[in-house]
Amino acid sequence: MQRPDGVRPRQSTDGLAVSDVTHGFGDADVLDSVTLSVRRGETMAVIGPSGTGKTTLLRLLAMFHEPDEGHVAVDDADVWGLSERERLRVRRRVGMVFQEPALFDASVLRNVSYGLHIRRGWRERLRSWAARVRGGDRRRAVTEALAVVGLADAGTQHVDALSGGEAQRVSFARALAYDPDFLLLDEPTSDLDPRNTAAIEAAIDTARSRGLGVAVATHDMNQAERIADRVAVMLDGRVIECGPADRVFNDPGDERAREFIDGELVY
Amino acid sequence: MIETLSAVDLVARGFAPLVVDFPFERHYVESIVLVSLYVSLTAVAISTLVGLPVAMLIGFSEFRGKGVVVALINTGMGFPSVVVGLLVLFAVSNQGPLGAFDLVFTTEAMILSQFVLATPVITGVSLAAVTGIDDGVRDAARALGGTRIDVALVTIKEARYGVMTGVLAGLGRAVSEVGSVLIVGGNIASADGTSVTRTLTTAIQLEARQGRFETALVLGAILVALVLVINGIVLRFGGGRT
């Protein structure tokens, strides 16, 4: 069944998950027995003080590292039990936006089309490169992704000409363009002004309405309240509270989660 | 009456003696330029194909002795060319490990010696360039679904100005060195004046020693012009925004 906008809804079971994951760098554990899942069509906010493991959690979900203990799974398939080729296929269903835009030194169009470009075979890549040299490559998905972040006309600009907020919006469009199933956002608006923050939040809402599962790490609780369906509160590398946003914000079960939400937790 | 001369007249009258008395054969110079370009460009192309992946491997992996490897590469940048020439001569001589290939006094031996000279330069400068790229860019390429090769290509593209500088520095080292190509190439020209292993630098050295300073100067000017043209091409294609 298709929605009125023509987008085919995705299956709403399973999702991207970590189960009982412990991970550290050196001797220190950054994550300690964390279990969490992001389902398609929902926005999960991961909140908590700085240095509590939110970024590490997202990087594990993005399959940057294999966890020291525990599992990372997509639709119940343990991704680190797959062959490298199969894992690449699964990894390509996940997109990630970082705190810094980290755009490539090229035009907006080239940045946003990168994910699509690398999903082609080498022969096709060379052919599209030749087409781009002639100035003809403007894919619909790229234009649509740019429209989602309100930068439909910015394609031909070089990224150096963008403001910080616009650059972050391009970074968001870059992750959206290849139509992933899951989107991981690591403090995507922490350096942005209210206008650009609103644009990113609107884009998150659009992504969710298209059926993507979105996980946002943020320390901005107002933002979490605005955009999230579910909220996970992290402290000292553990998830101490997880549930529907309304319940977590209004009636948290964990005392430290309540103190953090109320701004009483000195950390 | 003042006579007005056209450019053609000027050349015919005023500069004709210069042209006619030009102190070398055009064919001789052309063959020297061709040998120089062939040897240096081939050596630098091979050095780039070897040096760039090595720079990527060293830059993005951690292993014991990495500091020693980097120090060796940096030492190689300043390795004396005559010593390299000597070592390559030993290698290609009859008793050497490459003796069976009969490479003494050939352009292939010259390419080998310039490869040895240019590779540390290209590797060292490229290593500095690729490790200077922000980790976030590589993370982004990977997060967007890039394979290791995709991430490496993005890194090289981001570091292209530094890599180009390394290739240019390697080319500069190769095209302007005298010692090793003189030893392994022998500075040979055939009886009809065609260069066999004579390059611009070895020819300049020979012409100057024989007192033909005009020829040496003209060859020097060609050498400088060549380096300028190569720089221009690299700046045009490597420095342009995409």
Side-chain angles (χ1 to χ4, degrees), chain B residues 103-153:
Chain B
L103 294 175
V104 180
F105 300 151
T106 63
T107 49
E108 285 74 21
M110 294 156 73
I111 289 168
L112 184 60
S113 73
Q114 292 202 348
F115 164 78
V116 174
L117 288 169
T119 301
V121 178
I122 293 172
T123 308
V125 178
S126 299
L127 177 61
V130 296
T131 50
I133 296 300
D134 184 17
D135 285 349
V137 170
R138 285 188 289 136
D139 280 353
R142 187 174 153 74
L144 293 164
T147 60
R148 285 196 187 97
I149 292 173
D150 293 323
V151 175
L153 289 175

Side-chain angles (χ1 to χ4, degrees), chain A residues 59 63-64 84 88 91-92 94 96 98 102 104-107 110 114 118-119 122 125 158 160 174 178, chain B residues 134 136-151 153-154 157-158 160-161 241-242:
Chain A
R59 289 176 74 89
M63 293 160 249
F64 270 80
E84 196 162 337
L88 175 66
R91 194 156 61 77
R92 285 183 166 177
V94 181
M96 186 163 178
F98 302 89
F104 308 134
D105 181 17
S107 70
R110 282 218 177 175
Y114 180 78
I118 58 173
R119 279 162 176 75
W122 285 100
R125 285 195 203 187
H158 191 274
D160 284 352
R174 186 172 62 174
Y178 56 86
Chain B
D134 184 17
V137 170
R138 285 188 289 136
D139 280 353
R142 187 174 153 74
L144 293 164
T147 60
R148 285 196 187 97
I149 292 173
D150 293 323
V151 175
L153 289 175
V154 162
K157 199 174 171 195
E158 292 293 303
R160 59 190 179 276
Y161 303 118
R241 286 245 157 91
T242 53

